[in-house]
Amino acid sequence: MTATHETPVRLTQFAHGGGCACKIPPGELEDVLGGLATMLPDTGDTPLLVGLATGDDAAVVALPAGGDATQAVVSTADFFTPVVDDPYDWGRIAAANALSDVYAMGGRPVLAVNLLAWPRDVLPFELAREVLRGGLEVAAGAGCHVGGGHSVDDPEPKYGMAVTGLADPARLLRNDAGRPGLPLTLTKPLGLGVLNNRHKATGERFEEAVATMVALNRDACAAALAAGASCATDVTGFGLLGHLHKLARASDVTAVIDTAAVPYLDGAREAVRDGYVSGGTRRNLAWVEPFTDFGGADAGTRLLLADAQTSGGLLIAGEVPGFPVIGELVPRGAHSVVLK
């Protein structure tokens, strides 16, 4: 399942957090953003179709009047500290994670620019080149141009991308479009956060986790659109429960999860048992507790469902062939999320 992977420099040791677990906690972020949506200017002929109001995965703006009415512009940015020690893998993971926000909106990424922070007096630039090479490879696999970017000298290494995509405004995947009666489909297993945390602590390398993180959500997006879905989000730093709460709140429904149907990566439960749980995951769980009926779920299951994922899968309101159904949306009840 795992193997010790010797690297000259362990990049994860230069980061206070790892991957999407280093996000600002969701409750604190919502406090900061509260009220800002009402301050946005009216830009006239380019209406904002998706913005701050529902906390969706990316912003979407219509093209100006007289443009192509079948295309909207999708814009997002995502970057984080090293989640694995191998610089090439970190670059691939960060790029796949950034591109995912476009797929989560039902879009197609067309242009990305790199975002790089690097401690130039501490880490050799040869490692930064490997990070960028990994990002370029994943973007090329997605058919997305990389047109430069921006770099800064920073005590802590960080990498990601700002991505622009295109989508049909009539076929967006939004987190506020869920309705009662729809099943919930999850396209990647959970457990990335605890396995990454174990990797940071021990140096063990988890090949299944790396393969999961570098996999694009392109095919899942296409399958969701083909199945007629209109509601989705991706599962990243706020964990399944956090992103599910945001979707249920935005759609004014309750999400019921069959905990036995949720897929996990090999070794994830053992990592929780052995204590490799990030502070980000614990903050996620604390944030969703007031909105969640945990039923009989044990402590380990609760932590895994709140696990801060990096480059996780799509959570889709609708049945998508080839992926597991983990629950359903029902009329709004006392909680956003109910575990069965």
Side-chain angles (χ1 to χ4, degrees):
M1 179 181 65
T2 65
T4 301
H5 184 68
E6 298 294 336
T7 57
V9 176
R10 293 203 58 208
L11 286 175
T12 57
Q13 304 310 297
F14 290 84
H16 76 283
C20 290
C22 66
K23 281 186 173 182
I24 294 174
E28 294 178 24
L29 185 61
E30 290 195 343
D31 288 343
V32 170
L33 297 177
L36 290 181
T38 62
M39 299 170 60
L40 295 173
D42 182 0
T43 56
D45 63 348
T46 56
L48 187 66
L49 303 180
V50 180
L52 285 174
T54 61
D56 218 323
D57 295 293
V60 184
V61 65
L63 291 175
D68 185 351
T70 67
Q71 294 289 322
V73 177
V74 183
S75 182
T76 185
D78 209 311
F79 62 96
F80 47 69
T81 54
V83 67
V84 292
D85 290 324
D86 186 280
Y88 171 70
D89 283 344
W90 175 34
R92 294 196 296 157
I93 292 164
N97 184 75
L99 294 167
S100 178
D101 284 340
V102 175
Y103 294 128
M105 303 303 300
R108 173 176 62 90
V110 295
L111 176 64
V113 291
N114 290 308
L115 304 172
L116 178 68
W118 201 256
R120 49 184 293 274
D121 293 329
V122 178
L123 292 175
F125 274 116
E126 289 81 358
L127 296 180
R129 185 180 187 279
E130 284 298 288
V131 175
L132 294 171
R133 184 172 73 89
L136 284 170
E137 181 177 289
V138 165
C144 178
H145 297 288
V146 179
H150 184 66
S151 61
V152 296
D153 187 355
D154 191 305
E156 188 174 53
K158 303 174 185 72
Y159 174 65
M161 289 177 164
V163 186
T164 301
L166 296 173
D168 183 341
R171 301 185 68 210
L172 292 175
L173 298 174
R174 307 173 54 126
N175 71 355
D176 63 354
R179 63 181 189 273
L182 288 175
L184 287 167
T185 299
L186 182 64
T187 67
K188 286 185 183 181
L190 302 183
L192 292 164
V194 291
L195 291 177
N196 287 340
N197 212 36
R198 185 165 197 152
H199 169 69
K200 180 178 181 180
T202 69
E204 295 173 275
R205 182 173 166 87
F206 297 89
E207 298 294 349
E208 184 187 15
V210 172
T212 298
M213 289 185 286
V214 303
L216 292 170
N217 282 326
R218 174 185 54 200
D219 293 345
C221 169
L225 292 173
S230 60
C231 177
T233 187
D234 65 352
V235 180
T236 54
F238 300 154
L240 176 67
L241 291 180
H243 290 284
L244 190 57
H245 163 61
K246 291 177 68 176
L247 184 152
R249 181 180 61 185
S251 297
D252 196 30
V253 295
T254 288
V256 178
I257 297 298
D258 177 3
T259 56
V262 177
Y264 300 103
L265 292 164
D266 289 344
R269 284 200 174 273
E270 291 81 359
V272 171
R273 178 200 64 200
D274 295 341
Y276 296 103
V277 179
S278 70
T281 290
R282 296 190 186 280
R283 289 189 292 270
N284 288 343
L285 186 58
W287 180 57
V288 300
E289 278 181 349
F291 316 110
T292 304
D293 178 353
F294 290 101
D298 60 35
T301 297
R302 297 183 188 196
L303 285 167
L304 281 170
L305 293 176
D307 189 39
Q309 305 297 281
T310 296
S311 194
L314 299 186
L315 178 66
I316 302 160
E319 187 168 358
V320 181
F323 301 102
V325 170
I326 64 166
E328 64 175 334
L329 300 179
V330 300
R332 179 71 185 189
H335 297 88
S336 295
V337 181
V338 175
L339 305 184
K340 296 293 188 182

